[in-house]
Amino acid sequence: MKAMILAAGLGTRLRPLTNDRPKALVEVAGRTLLDITISRLRAFGIREVIINVHHFADMVVDYLKKNNNFGMRIEVSREDVLLDTGGGLKKAAWFFLEDSSPDQPFILHNVDVISTIDLDSMVQFHKERKALATLAVQARETSRYLLFDEHLRLAGRLSGQNGQSEFVLPSRQLQIQALAFSGIHLISPRLLSMITEDGAFSIIASYMRLAGQEENILCFRADEYSWRDLGRPESIALAEKDFRDKVL
C-alpha cells in the first residue's frame, strides 16, 4: 500500500514558525511533523510514499536524505506553483498508476494533522463498501463542513461565511449530517483517471463533482479517535501536551 503526504503549502497560519522552514519541518515534542506522519504510516505497513513540496522544498529533500528516507521508498513531487490538494495529487498520479493493482487504495494525508485514527479499520471500511474515496470525518466544530446522507455518502457542503448549503445529491435526504473532515483520505486509483479539473484545485471539488454523478464518495466516522490540526502555533503547544498525556 502507498501513500501521499501533502506538504507543499506555505504554512501561513503557522508563521512565524514557517518563516525559515516548511511546515513539514516544524517540530512537536522534538519531532518534525513529517517524521511523525511518516512514522505513523510506517506503523500501518506503508513503505512507499510520495511527498509534494514547494515552500523551502530543498530543506525537505535534504532532511529526507539525512534520514535515509526513513528506510522507505520516498519520492518527491516538486511544485513550482502551488497546485492545492487536487492539483498536487494529479501531478503525482504516476506514482499510484505504476502498479498493476487498480483495486488497492492509497492514503492521502495532510502533513499538519496528527491523529490516532485506525487506518486499518478505514481500509476495511473502504474495501467493503467499494468506495471510490473515503474521508475520515468527525462530529466537531469547524469553519467548513461536509454534508453526508444517511448512507454516509457525500451529499454536499456548507460554504461561505453564512454556511450556505451546497448539495450535489438531492436535498430531500432526511438524515443529512454536517461533519468535519480530518485531512486523511483513502482513494482508489481508478479515481485518478476521473479527475478532469486542471491547474490548482482542491480535491474536494473533484469529490463534489463525482458524488453528484453518484460515484461512491463516503465518510469514515472517526469520532472515537484523537485528532489535532497543527495549522496554528498555539496548536503546537496543545499537541505537545497531548503527547505528554499519551493522547496522541
Side-chain angles (χ1 to χ4, degrees):
M1 192 171 180
K2 294 182 175 182
M4 180 173 184
I5 299 174
L6 295 169
L10 298 176
T12 52
R13 293 183 303 150
L14 269 172
R15 288 175 180 163
L17 298 177
T18 50
N19 285 344
D20 61 354
R21 73 192 67 188
K23 64 181 178 181
L25 299 187
V26 169
E27 293 189 356
V28 176
R31 298 174 63 194
T32 66
L33 295 181
L34 185 56
D35 173 17
I36 293 168
T37 304
I38 288 175
S39 297
R40 177 155 172 72
L41 293 173
R42 275 182 59 90
F44 284 94
I46 293 168
R47 295 294 182 270
E48 296 183 85
V49 174
I50 190 166
I51 304 169
N52 69 337
V53 295
H54 171 78
H55 185 55
F56 292 113
D58 289 338
M59 290 183 68
V60 176
V61 173
D62 291 343
Y63 176 78
L64 292 170
K65 287 180 180 178
K66 180 181 177 181
N67 288 277
N68 195 31
N69 284 344
F70 294 88
M72 303 166 69
R73 176 196 174 192
I74 296 183
E75 302 285 348
V76 172
S77 179
R78 288 180 177 266
E79 297 180 9
D80 295 329
V81 177
L82 279 173
L83 296 174
D84 206 337
T85 53
L89 174 59
K90 188 171 183 177
K91 186 176 189 295
W94 65 269
F95 181 72
F96 303 104
L97 296 175
E98 65 183 9
D99 300 325
S100 56
S101 319
D103 295 328
Q104 177 71 353
F106 61 88
I107 293 172
L108 188 63
H109 198 299
N110 289 3
V111 77
D112 55 1
V113 300
I114 300 177
S115 80
T116 62
I117 293 173
D118 187 339
L119 299 180
D120 286 335
S121 295
M122 194 171 168
V123 170
Q124 182 178 357
F125 173 93
H126 178 91
K127 289 183 175 180
E128 286 177 351
R129 289 160 178 77
K130 297 180 172 58
L132 186 62
T134 300
L135 314 183
V137 300
Q138 294 178 319
R140 55 176 168 78
E141 290 188 7
T142 184
S143 58
R144 293 174 291 182
Y145 288 97
L146 294 178
L147 305 175
F148 296 88
D149 70 7
E150 64 269 31
H151 304 294
L152 304 180
R153 299 179 303 174
L154 179 62
R157 62 182 167 185
L158 296 181
S159 58
Q161 293 183 343
N162 296 325
Q164 294 181 334
S165 300
E166 176 188 351
F167 285 97
V168 293
L169 291 181
S171 58
R172 64 175 180 273
Q173 305 289 348
L174 298 179
Q175 299 180 39
I176 294 295
Q177 307 169 81
L179 299 167
F181 178 44
S182 296
I184 301 173
H185 330 223
L186 259 176
I187 300 173
S188 295
R190 56 194 176 90
L191 177 139
L192 298 171
S193 64
M194 300 178 182
I195 298 177
T196 57
E197 293 79 7
D198 287 314
F201 62 94
S202 169
I203 191 62
I204 299 296
S206 301
Y207 292 156
M208 291 279 287
R209 175 178 55 79
L210 292 167
Q213 297 169 6
E214 299 188 353
E215 294 290 348
N216 214 18
I217 311 293
L218 303 180
C219 72
F220 174 78
R221 293 297 298 265
D223 305 285
E224 64 188 281
Y225 304 103
S226 298
W227 176 92
R228 192 169 292 284
D229 172 16
L230 279 293
R232 299 181 183 278
E234 56 268 29
S235 301
I236 302 296
L238 293 172
E240 289 180 338
K241 183 178 184 301
D242 287 341
F243 277 116
R244 288 196 302 270
D245 296 342
K246 298 183 178 181
V247 175
L248 286 173

